[in-house]
Amino acid sequence: MAVRAEREAEIQTMSFEEALAELEAIVGALEAGKGSLEDAIRAYERGDALRRHCAAKLAEAQAKVSRIVEAAGTATGTEPLDSEP
């Protein structure tokens, strides 16, 4: 369990970009299907931790943007960044 906690703590220090790059590498390796089943399971577990970290970082960024817009006094709501008019 201590090793898992250390890995989680290490992931928490990563930037969004670092975590996403590693997650993409893991997905590529898993899709290639090379390596042992045990290696694939470990990679999947790390990938899941990286995915959760990325999701948290995105939620944090969204909250910051919402606060900035609200502080400017122009907020009427929030919309996804990729929405089309």
Side-chain angles (χ1 to χ4, degrees):
M1 268 311 183
V3 172
R4 186 176 214 181
E6 288 176 16
R7 289 180 184 154
E8 290 283 333
E10 181 240 334
I11 288 173
Q12 294 303 314
T13 65
M14 298 174 91
S15 70
F16 173 80
E17 294 80 8
E18 291 169 330
L20 184 60
E22 185 175 341
L23 180 57
E24 288 172 342
I26 288 170
V27 169
L30 288 172
E31 287 177 343
K34 297 185 179 180
S36 70
L37 178 60
E38 190 62 35
D39 289 341
I41 291 169
R42 277 194 298 273
Y44 184 87
E45 288 172 342
R46 178 141 177 111
D48 186 53
L50 289 164
R51 178 199 56 80
R52 285 184 278 120
H53 178 67
C54 287
K57 287 286 192 183
L58 286 174
E60 181 182 313
Q62 183 179 10
K64 285 180 183 178
V65 169
S66 293
R67 281 194 301 270
I68 290 167
V69 171
E70 289 170 4
T74 59
T76 58
T78 58
E79 293 183 20
L81 202 54
D82 62 348
S83 66
E84 293 183 23

